[in-house]
Amino acid sequence: MGVSTRDIFGDAAGAQPATPGSYGEAPRGYRLPEGTRLRRVHLQIGDLSRSLAYYEGTLGMRVLRRDGSSAALGALLDGTPLVELHERAGARPAPHGGRLGLYHFAILLPDRASLGRFVRHLGEIGERAGAADHLVSESLYLRDPDNLGIEVYADRPRSTWRRIGRELMMATDPLDVAGLMRDAGADPWTGLPGGTVMGHVHLHVRDLGAASAFFSEALGFDRMVWQYPGALFFGASGYHHHLGANTWAGSAATPPAAEEAQLLEWTVELPDSAGLDAASESLVCVGYPAERHRDAEGGPVLTTHDPWGTHVRLQVARE
């Protein structure tokens, strides 16, 4: 849903630089530590070969691992997975609206020039995309063969971010495509460049009050934006948002059916095990599940789910 700067902030009287510590509302209790970031998303799709063709050919990912009905993909020169695809043969595409869970996951490119090269690449292959300037970032929007939402974006320098009071200014304005193309230079698009990461995840939820209670007061994200109609944006470590939550699917929205394409899990990475312990205590104290276990490499993992059943995994950064 696109809402412009003028729609939200009028003439933006009173806007000030968003210097570190000057914006956002911290939770009253547990707060995610400095250095928190997102890692891979797990997606259920209907046809692995079809999805791999899209994620490699359109998005420019490379396959890091393929094992039967699943595959992990990342940037060209990086061994860190961004997406894991899990085939459920014949799964129906995600419907257009009306479902809780994934709105989109967002791949963050390292710079504006890379985004410009991606714009040019999409034009060369005839791929249609939505586009927006969010003030703190510039974005393109696509849908994969299973109708799962994807954002590919680049951040604006933090020195250009603005705030009104404690709220970070974010909106949906027209994207300067011509400027992106100029900044792309002559270098061709060769795929997701080194330094590409999972920037954020955006979810459909049924109620923003419950979303704030879970994602901020229980899970520990700061609230960054709260005047965007029908949405809240949450972040850690001063980032504009690691998570978006919106009610745009409507009050009658239901979770995806088992046989539909969907987000199975998204991942938050904490800098140390102390943060994981504190997150577990915070979730349990307010009545949310917090299951502790070890991953395949023996690292500590905490899993939980939001009030609408979308799973989130918390893990500790590797040395």
Side-chain angles (χ1 to χ4, degrees), residues 96-110:
H96 289 280
R99 288 290 186 271
L100 301 170
L102 186 68
Y103 180 55
H104 62 245
F105 64 89
I107 299 165
L108 173 59
L109 300 179

PDB file of all heavy atoms in Angstrom, residues 96-110:
ATOM      1  N   HIS A  96      -3.611 -13.910  -3.763  1.00  0.00           N
ATOM      2  CA  HIS A  96      -3.418 -12.461  -3.746  1.00  0.00           C
ATOM      3  C   HIS A  96      -4.201 -11.871  -2.571  1.00  0.00           C
ATOM      4  O   HIS A  96      -5.406 -11.627  -2.664  1.00  0.00           O
ATOM      5  CB  HIS A  96      -3.886 -11.841  -5.061  1.00  0.00           C
ATOM      6  CG  HIS A  96      -3.014 -12.144  -6.223  1.00  0.00           C
ATOM      7  ND1 HIS A  96      -1.836 -11.486  -6.487  1.00  0.00           N
ATOM      8  CD2 HIS A  96      -3.141 -13.081  -7.196  1.00  0.00           C
ATOM      9  CE1 HIS A  96      -1.274 -11.976  -7.568  1.00  0.00           C
ATOM     10  NE2 HIS A  96      -2.049 -12.951  -8.024  1.00  0.00           N
ATOM     11  N   GLY A  97      -3.525 -11.671  -1.453  1.00  0.00           N
ATOM     12  CA  GLY A  97      -4.186 -11.097  -0.291  1.00  0.00           C
ATOM     13  C   GLY A  97      -5.033 -12.120   0.437  1.00  0.00           C
ATOM     14  O   GLY A  97      -5.252 -13.243  -0.020  1.00  0.00           O
ATOM     15  N   GLY A  98      -5.483 -11.729   1.624  1.00  0.00           N
ATOM     16  CA  GLY A  98      -6.372 -12.590   2.378  1.00  0.00           C
ATOM     17  C   GLY A  98      -5.682 -13.646   3.210  1.00  0.00           C
ATOM     18  O   GLY A  98      -6.350 -14.468   3.833  1.00  0.00           O
ATOM     19  N   ARG A  99      -4.351 -13.661   3.260  1.00  0.00           N
ATOM     20  CA  ARG A  99      -3.607 -14.628   4.042  1.00  0.00           C
ATOM     21  C   ARG A  99      -2.677 -13.904   5.023  1.00  0.00           C
ATOM     22  O   ARG A  99      -2.051 -12.892   4.678  1.00  0.00           O
ATOM     23  CB  ARG A  99      -2.764 -15.535   3.157  1.00  0.00           C
ATOM     24  CG  ARG A  99      -3.553 -16.549   2.363  1.00  0.00           C
ATOM     25  CD  ARG A  99      -4.140 -17.636   3.247  1.00  0.00           C
ATOM     26  NE  ARG A  99      -4.785 -18.678   2.437  1.00  0.00           N
ATOM     27  CZ  ARG A  99      -6.046 -18.657   2.056  1.00  0.00           C
ATOM     28  NH1 ARG A  99      -6.831 -17.640   2.409  1.00  0.00           N
ATOM     29  NH2 ARG A  99      -6.560 -19.638   1.330  1.00  0.00           N
ATOM     30  N   LEU A 100      -2.577 -14.450   6.218  1.00  0.00           N
ATOM     31  CA  LEU A 100      -1.594 -13.973   7.180  1.00  0.00           C
ATOM     32  C   LEU A 100      -0.233 -14.552   6.813  1.00  0.00           C
ATOM     33  O   LEU A 100      -0.119 -15.478   6.021  1.00  0.00           O
ATOM     34  CB  LEU A 100      -2.003 -14.404   8.587  1.00  0.00           C
ATOM     35  CG  LEU A 100      -3.374 -13.894   9.041  1.00  0.00           C
ATOM     36  CD1 LEU A 100      -3.791 -14.570  10.337  1.00  0.00           C
ATOM     37  CD2 LEU A 100      -3.360 -12.383   9.195  1.00  0.00           C
ATOM     38  N   GLY A 101       0.812 -13.984   7.396  1.00  0.00           N
ATOM     39  CA  GLY A 101       2.160 -14.455   7.088  1.00  0.00           C
ATOM     40  C   GLY A 101       2.852 -13.533   6.114  1.00  0.00           C
ATOM     41  O   GLY A 101       2.728 -12.305   6.203  1.00  0.00           O
ATOM     42  N   LEU A 102       3.556 -14.096   5.152  1.00  0.00           N
ATOM     43  CA  LEU A 102       4.467 -13.301   4.324  1.00  0.00           C
ATOM     44  C   LEU A 102       3.762 -12.263   3.459  1.00  0.00           C
ATOM     45  O   LEU A 102       2.825 -12.581   2.720  1.00  0.00           O
ATOM     46  CB  LEU A 102       5.274 -14.235   3.416  1.00  0.00           C
ATOM     47  CG  LEU A 102       6.371 -13.534   2.589  1.00  0.00           C
ATOM     48  CD1 LEU A 102       7.480 -13.020   3.496  1.00  0.00           C
ATOM     49  CD2 LEU A 102       6.930 -14.488   1.547  1.00  0.00           C
ATOM     50  N   TYR A 103       4.200 -11.018   3.563  1.00  0.00           N
ATOM     51  CA  TYR A 103       3.898  -9.968   2.591  1.00  0.00           C
ATOM     52  C   TYR A 103       5.059  -9.903   1.602  1.00  0.00           C
ATOM     53  O   TYR A 103       4.874  -9.996   0.405  1.00  0.00           O
ATOM     54  CB  TYR A 103       3.675  -8.648   3.317  1.00  0.00           C
ATOM     55  CG  TYR A 103       3.351  -7.477   2.427  1.00  0.00           C
ATOM     56  CD1 TYR A 103       2.288  -7.528   1.533  1.00  0.00           C
ATOM     57  CD2 TYR A 103       4.090  -6.297   2.498  1.00  0.00           C
ATOM     58  CE1 TYR A 103       1.989  -6.446   0.718  1.00  0.00           C
ATOM     59  CE2 TYR A 103       3.787  -5.211   1.710  1.00  0.00           C
ATOM     60  CZ  TYR A 103       2.742  -5.280   0.812  1.00  0.00           C
ATOM     61  OH  TYR A 103       2.437  -4.207   0.008  1.00  0.00           O
ATOM     62  N   HIS A 104       6.274  -9.755   2.116  1.00  0.00           N
ATOM     63  CA  HIS A 104       7.468  -9.959   1.307  1.00  0.00           C
ATOM     64  C   HIS A 104       8.676 -10.153   2.210  1.00  0.00           C
ATOM     65  O   HIS A 104       8.656  -9.796   3.386  1.00  0.00           O
ATOM     66  CB  HIS A 104       7.713  -8.797   0.333  1.00  0.00           C
ATOM     67  CG  HIS A 104       7.961  -7.452   0.984  1.00  0.00           C
ATOM     68  ND1 HIS A 104       7.105  -6.387   0.849  1.00  0.00           N
ATOM     69  CD2 HIS A 104       8.977  -6.994   1.770  1.00  0.00           C
ATOM     70  CE1 HIS A 104       7.567  -5.346   1.514  1.00  0.00           C
ATOM     71  NE2 HIS A 104       8.713  -5.690   2.086  1.00  0.00           N
ATOM     72  N   PHE A 105       9.720 -10.762   1.674  1.00  0.00           N
ATOM     73  CA  PHE A 105      11.035 -10.708   2.295  1.00  0.00           C
ATOM     74  C   PHE A 105      11.884  -9.786   1.432  1.00  0.00           C
ATOM     75  O   PHE A 105      11.614  -9.615   0.233  1.00  0.00           O
ATOM     76  CB  PHE A 105      11.663 -12.106   2.441  1.00  0.00           C
ATOM     77  CG  PHE A 105      11.957 -12.809   1.143  1.00  0.00           C
ATOM     78  CD1 PHE A 105      13.184 -12.640   0.503  1.00  0.00           C
ATOM     79  CD2 PHE A 105      11.027 -13.648   0.565  1.00  0.00           C
ATOM     80  CE1 PHE A 105      13.462 -13.293  -0.688  1.00  0.00           C
ATOM     81  CE2 PHE A 105      11.294 -14.314  -0.620  1.00  0.00           C
ATOM     82  CZ  PHE A 105      12.514 -14.136  -1.259  1.00  0.00           C
ATOM     83  N   ALA A 106      12.891  -9.167   2.030  1.00  0.00           N
ATOM     84  CA  ALA A 106      13.592  -8.076   1.363  1.00  0.00           C
ATOM     85  C   ALA A 106      15.102  -8.296   1.340  1.00  0.00           C
ATOM     86  O   ALA A 106      15.742  -8.421   2.385  1.00  0.00           O
ATOM     87  CB  ALA A 106      13.275  -6.747   2.059  1.00  0.00           C
ATOM     88  N   ILE A 107      15.640  -8.335   0.140  1.00  0.00           N
ATOM     89  CA  ILE A 107      17.068  -8.553  -0.094  1.00  0.00           C
ATOM     90  C   ILE A 107      17.743  -7.198  -0.213  1.00  0.00           C
ATOM     91  O   ILE A 107      17.394  -6.382  -1.081  1.00  0.00           O
ATOM     92  CB  ILE A 107      17.275  -9.384  -1.371  1.00  0.00           C
ATOM     93  CG1 ILE A 107      16.609 -10.760  -1.222  1.00  0.00           C
ATOM     94  CG2 ILE A 107      18.753  -9.532  -1.686  1.00  0.00           C
ATOM     95  CD1 ILE A 107      16.450 -11.494  -2.526  1.00  0.00           C
ATOM     96  N   LEU A 108      18.713  -6.945   0.654  1.00  0.00           N
ATOM     97  CA  LEU A 108      19.392  -5.649   0.726  1.00  0.00           C
ATOM     98  C   LEU A 108      20.712  -5.699  -0.054  1.00  0.00           C
ATOM     99  O   LEU A 108      21.628  -6.445   0.305  1.00  0.00           O
ATOM    100  CB  LEU A 108      19.652  -5.281   2.186  1.00  0.00           C
ATOM    101  CG  LEU A 108      20.494  -4.032   2.463  1.00  0.00           C
ATOM    102  CD1 LEU A 108      19.857  -2.786   1.853  1.00  0.00           C
ATOM    103  CD2 LEU A 108      20.694  -3.854   3.966  1.00  0.00           C
ATOM    104  N   LEU A 109      20.790  -4.907  -1.113  1.00  0.00           N
ATOM    105  CA  LEU A 109      22.017  -4.796  -1.899  1.00  0.00           C
ATOM    106  C   LEU A 109      22.978  -3.821  -1.220  1.00  0.00           C
ATOM    107  O   LEU A 109      22.571  -2.951  -0.447  1.00  0.00           O
ATOM    108  CB  LEU A 109      21.687  -4.316  -3.312  1.00  0.00           C
ATOM    109  CG  LEU A 109      20.739  -5.207  -4.126  1.00  0.00           C
ATOM    110  CD1 LEU A 109      20.474  -4.583  -5.503  1.00  0.00           C
ATOM    111  CD2 LEU A 109      21.300  -6.602  -4.278  1.00  0.00           C
ATOM    112  N   PRO A 110      24.285  -3.936  -1.509  1.00  0.00           N
ATOM    113  CA  PRO A 110      25.257  -3.124  -0.771  1.00  0.00           C
ATOM    114  C   PRO A 110      25.292  -1.654  -1.159  1.00  0.00           C
ATOM    115  O   PRO A 110      25.807  -0.835  -0.388  1.00  0.00           O
ATOM    116  CB  PRO A 110      26.591  -3.804  -1.086  1.00  0.00           C
ATOM    117  CG  PRO A 110      26.369  -4.504  -2.387  1.00  0.00           C
ATOM    118  CD  PRO A 110      24.926  -4.950  -2.362  1.00  0.00           C
TER     119      PRO A 110
END
